[in-house]
Amino acid sequence: MTTAQASKIIASTRELADFHGGIHPQEMKSLSNQTPISKAALPPQLILPLQQHIGNASKVIVEVGQQVLKGQILAEADGFVSVNLHAPTSGRIESISEHAIAHPSGQSDLCLTLTPDGQDQWCTLNSSEDVTQLSAFEIQTKVRQAGIAGMGGAGFPTDIKLQPPKHANIDTLILNAAECEPYITSDDRLLRERADEVVAGLNIVSSVLQTTTCLIGIEDNKPEAIAALKTATQDSNIEICVIPTKYPSGGEKQLIKILTGKEVPNGKIPADIGVVCQNVGTVAAIYRAVRFGEPLISRITTLTGLQIQQRGNVEVLLGTPINWLLSQYGYQAAKRERLIMGGPMMGFTLTETDIPVVKTTNCILAPNETELPLAPPAQACIRCGLCADACPAELLPQQLYWFARGQEYEKAEHHNLFDCIECGACSFVCPSSIPLVQYYRHAKGEIKQQRADQQKSDQARVRFEARQQRLENEQAEKAAKRKARAEAAAKAQAAKKLAESQEIVIDSAKTDSKQADLIQENQNNQSKAAVEVLDLSELKTAWDKAQSKLDKMYDALDAAKENNPEQVTKLSRAVEKNQMRVNQTKQAWLKASAKTESETSTAVITATESETKAESRSTSDANIKPDLAALETAYDKADSKLAKLENALANAAPEQVEKLTRAVNKNKDRVASAKAELETAQAALSRTDNNAMPEPPVEPVIEIDIPALQLAFEKADSKLAKLENALANAKPEQVEKLTRAVNKNKDRVKAAQDELEQARLNAAASTTTPVNDSGT
Amino acid sequence: MGLLTLTSPHTKGPQRTSVMMRWVIAMTLPGLVMQTVFFGWGNLHNVIWCSIVALLSEVLVLKLRKRPIAFYLNDYSALVTAVLLGLALPPFAPWWVSLVATAFAIIFAKHLYGGMGYNPFNPAMVGYALVLVSFPVAMTTNWATPLSLLEQTPSLSQTLSTIWGSGTLPDGFTGATPLDTYKHEIAHSLSADVLAKPIFGSGISLGWEWVNAAFLLGGLILLLLKIIPWQTPVGVLAGLMIPSILLGYDADQSTPLLIHLLSGATMLGAFFIATDPITSATTTRGRLIFGLGIGLLTYIVRVYGSYPDAFAFAVLLMNFAAPLIDVYTQPRTYGYEKAKRGTKTKELK
């Protein structure tokens, strides 16, 4: 069937757009699409990398030495963006170790090694007879369980694609059957032989995503596959869109533009414009997983290139070592040749062949020199612009090349370096054979490295600044504390000084104890006084010295003012310092002398409390009045205590009599002394009052006094009467208390009466004005 | 096993730089043939002489730069420069004029900037402008009269002795170009009278019209082969035609359009000189602007300047502007709404 015939069959009237650029390399499809898919044999060992997909590596859940069945899960998905890994055949887990994997870097990764036992025994599978009965969630779960990743080459976990973001409104499902890369024919053969499975899988996906439009994008160089698809999609509304053969129309973004006319916006995914793309192999695997419960354990891989004798497509178990596989199909390695995993445009070269087939291995290409000659040495770029004409992303590859070479990465990014899909069209057309894609990969790597370094240095700077801040805060705190302590100390010092000065002047009662000690000391140790005197004289000498020095400094300053002006500041500062010193020594001397003076003065006084108290009291009028009240209180207290003791004595037991008698006597003395004090104070007060006051006219005072006194007398009298009454009616325990109270009040009454009469007499004596006598 | 580690892609298309250069040289042949037919041996000799000088200069410089000679000579870029100069210089220009022009072009305008691909100015035009300014008499008085107007055509030995010796040419072998003639004559004559002169042939330019037509043919073939982009020649011709139509419509005041297009170095310049990819703009829109600029400047200098044919200066001036044109004519990348313009770059995030 020719292309034209195939196109005629297709009834799809969909208007196809085109993407910019593109190239037409030699297809070389006929090398491998002539024979049906063959099933590869069981290799002696299977090596299963834990990462065959985009996302997190799977977590191993089996142990070394464990027997596993075909399809048994060996490693679980680690997180959301991850897939499960299953045993491709039954056997024994040999090891979990580092092994070389298929990666451009040639690095190794953690792999499970499985030795098949030849039984090929399946584990129990969860098949569903009627897939239409399953809910979307059930299908998603089954797909995730089966460990399906995108088999077109990227390896994105398929179950995530079946759960698009909530905001996305998916309406178009596109099956990517373009297979634009030369040499690769796995999708072609799969469609020819298993179109039913592919279409069934497509329907499953469509039902999960609930899409309204289902498109199959296929290049026109696959007429047989188109026919097979037409038969398979007879009764469905799946549209088959035959697109012109052009590389890279199989690129997701390019295919979307061709089939829908829409472009995937920069930085977004196709789901954001309502489109989901799936690879043919992936969709077939989805069908097998949902319908039969079979996990992803094998894939169709194209073995092609003139170095391989039996070229074609093979259904190979995942984990099959490539060297074993190639030997099965007649690989004859030539000297200085390439072994490419993938196609000639985007595949990467392998450095060794002891690496396994993984979920994304779509082709193994072993070309010889004639079909894919090595590129000639690169010449200078002539800025012809053929690369820009070919670029499907509409970039300016020659500018990107210049910037990448000149390491002007900001300009490269400005020219949308990261929109490059690394399809290789620009390198293909370059007349100077410049490996352009290599420059872009290098530039992208450099930019990513710069971003990572920038992030690190930003973090380091933030931490550094925080640390600086913390140190500064600590310093500030220390300084504040020091200052506070200094202030507190200064305050305490000042307070202490103030207290000391007050002590010396006012409260010489404190010196009593000191005085006693001092007398003791003086009597015992004459040298102490001498020392005191010596200290004093020393201080005086110091003061005199300081004073004389200060005088000298002043003279010098005056001289300097006249003769040496530059010395003036220095000398004036020195003068100030000496002045301070003089003041200090003077103060010290004064303090010392005052102290000794007070001490010596107190040493003279006889050590009786009452006398010194009296003396101190007598020296100050200011203390008389308060002392009077205090004395009165003291007297009353003493009196009442005496009365109590006398009572106790009266009721005492014989053994207590002596003690109580002594106590009584003591208190009698105390009372007497208190009384004496009081009287003295009163006398002094009256004397001072009399002395202080000039002879004022007595009349107004008396006029006020007499009624007040009368009132006081009446009050006292009534109170006495009350108390006597209470006494008469008192209980025995209250008797003595009340008796005392009665006696006290009797005295008070008497006193008040006396005062009143005295006042009246005075009034009568001084004036002839009769005074209203309210009578007693 | 000896497996090679190479980067993708592992296959290449058929385009090659040296192939493109050779096609350019090849497509000048029709024009060269026409020049020889109408103007004598001068151009052919100059092409050969300039080629020899160019290759020798290139070898000298490569030796000084310690580069592999065969590799660099094989890109044929020196030869292209030489051929273009040979075609552009006056047929009877002394040998030292060609020597200076070519040597300066190869050594200074090409290799001292880094070699092919790194020069900002068109080397052939640099050489041409240098000798035009330095040796004005030699460059203006050595244009050939169309052979058909002569009783006695200069033989090869006469041509050689003129170029190489100081032998004086018989009167009449050299003469002013049609562009030059028209420009000076129209100041005091009418168009009809000027065009009656034999040098204008059937009303355009005797000999020159065939030469330009041949170059146009060669250029069109290059376009079909996709060796040169169409934007540049179209831009040049449009840049020349538009002001001519708008301002120079009156044949009694200024040179007519057809003489502009089919006389002088117009077609050679439009298809072979302006399309030099290394020194022109790289974006498609940029090339259009580049071409337009050249055409416009050529017209301005031809009409208002003192040089009869100022293609070289126009090209050099636009070479200055090419990088800026590139910056402002970036295409819209897939997935973006608008194209990015200008030089503002964001800080690397």
Side-chain angles (χ1 to χ4, degrees), chain A residues 263-337:
Chain A
E263 285 186 8
V264 179
N266 173 47
K268 301 266 199 290
I269 56 171
D272 292 324
I273 54 169
V275 176
V276 169
C277 278
Q278 289 288 3
N279 173 263
V280 168
T282 314
V283 152
I286 289 173
Y287 170 72
R288 291 218 71 91
V290 173
R291 171 70 182 85
F292 299 105
E294 287 175 15
L296 182 60
I297 55 167
S298 67
R299 67 156 296 138
I300 317 290
T301 302
T302 309
L303 298 177
T304 185
L306 289 176
Q307 284 186 77
I308 296 176
Q309 296 304 309
Q310 289 133 46
R311 295 176 291 276
N313 288 287
V314 291
E315 190 169 1
V316 56
L317 290 177
L318 299 179
T320 305
I322 286 175
N323 54 0
W324 178 87
L325 186 66
L326 287 173
S327 68
Q328 296 290 98
Y329 288 87
Y331 171 60
Q332 280 157 6
K335 251 200 262 181
R336 278 193 78 244
E337 261 314 324

Side-chain angles (χ1 to χ4, degrees), chain B residues 238-263:
Chain B
L240 204 50
M241 283 164 70
I242 290 166
S244 183
I245 292 167
L246 292 176
L247 303 171
Y249 51 87
D250 188 1
D252 288 322
Q253 300 296 327
S254 46
T255 316
L257 176 65
L258 278 176
I259 297 183
H260 268 301
L261 287 179
L262 293 175
S263 190

Side-chain angles (χ1 to χ4, degrees), chain A residues 436-682:
Chain A
L436 291 169
V437 181
Q438 194 174 6
Y439 280 98
Y440 308 148
R441 287 196 181 119
H442 173 78
K444 285 182 189 176
E446 285 294 305
I447 292 173
K448 282 184 188 157
Q449 186 64 40
Q450 276 186 10
R451 281 185 192 160
D453 288 344
Q454 182 72 22
Q455 208 179 15
K456 259 198 217 167
S457 79
D458 281 345
Q459 270 183 346
R461 192 184 61 228
V462 166
R463 289 180 62 210
F464 174 73
E465 281 174 7
R467 179 173 178 271
Q468 289 296 94
Q469 191 64 35
R470 176 174 60 85
L471 289 176
E472 268 178 43
N473 289 346
E474 279 179 18
Q475 292 286 6
E477 271 182 30
K478 274 194 201 156
K481 271 197 200 142
R482 227 179 287 133
K483 196 166 159 205
R485 250 188 285 129
E487 275 179 15
K491 262 196 211 155
Q493 194 76 356
K496 194 160 118 188
K497 275 208 184 119
L498 188 65
E500 278 183 3
S501 59
Q502 280 186 344
E503 280 178 9
I504 291 166
V505 176
I506 294 168
D507 197 357
S508 60
K510 281 220 174 97
T511 61
D512 287 352
S513 56
K514 275 196 201 162
Q515 161 213 325
D517 291 342
L518 202 59
I519 291 168
Q520 204 74 343
E521 277 186 293
N522 281 340
Q523 288 168 352
N524 299 337
N525 199 350
Q526 285 284 14
S527 60
K528 179 97 172 145
V531 167
E532 292 274 3
V533 173
L534 257 178
D535 286 341
L536 201 64
S537 62
E538 261 187 13
L539 284 166
K540 187 80 173 43
T541 329
W543 179 26
D544 289 342
K545 266 198 200 156
Q547 188 67 47
S548 62
K549 187 166 182 189
L550 182 67
D551 294 339
K552 273 196 210 146
M553 299 288 321
Y554 270 121
D555 291 340
L557 182 65
D558 290 339
K561 273 184 186 157
E562 289 175 49
N563 305 328
N564 293 340
E566 63 269 20
Q567 297 272 358
V568 171
T569 38
K570 199 161 113 187
L571 280 173
S572 53
R573 259 188 280 131
V575 161
E576 282 172 33
K577 209 158 69 174
N578 278 290
Q579 182 71 47
M580 267 174 45
R581 202 173 290 158
V582 164
N583 291 343
Q584 277 174 351
T585 48
K586 185 170 163 186
Q587 289 292 346
W589 182 80
L590 277 175
K591 191 164 129 189
S593 60
K595 199 158 101 176
T596 44
E597 273 188 313
S598 63
E599 284 174 358
T600 49
S601 65
T602 51
V604 172
I605 298 170
T606 51
T608 54
E609 291 182 308
S610 53
E611 285 188 283
T612 50
K613 272 192 189 152
E615 281 276 359
S616 63
R617 288 210 181 95
S618 65
T619 56
S620 170
D621 286 347
N623 290 326
I624 297 296
K625 286 206 171 84
D627 279 348
L628 193 63
L631 285 168
E632 276 184 0
T633 324
Y635 170 62
D636 286 344
K637 267 195 196 160
D639 210 8
S640 59
K641 190 166 179 183
L642 180 67
K644 203 164 161 190
L645 279 170
E646 279 172 356
N647 219 3
L649 182 63
N651 304 330
E655 58 270 25
Q656 285 175 332
V657 167
E658 199 193 314
K659 197 164 137 193
L660 280 168
T661 320
R662 266 188 280 131
V664 164
N665 290 335
K666 194 156 92 175
N667 275 285
K668 266 194 186 147
D669 290 342
R670 211 173 269 169
V671 167
S673 65
K675 190 170 172 184
E677 279 177 42
L678 181 62
E679 282 174 357
T680 327
Q682 281 172 339

Side-chain angles (χ1 to χ4, degrees), chain A residues 101-104 106 322 326 337-342 347-356 361 363-365, chain B residues 1-6 10:
Chain A
I101 55 158
H103 193 270
I322 286 175
L326 287 173
E337 261 314 324
R338 290 163 289 188
L339 189 63
I340 300 164
M341 176 165 288
F348 57 91
T349 49
L350 300 172
T351 46
E352 55 180 312
T353 49
D354 186 20
I355 51 178
T361 307
C363 176
I364 297 171
L365 171 61
Chain B
M1 187 167 278
L3 289 174
L4 295 175
T5 305
L6 293 170
H10 305 285

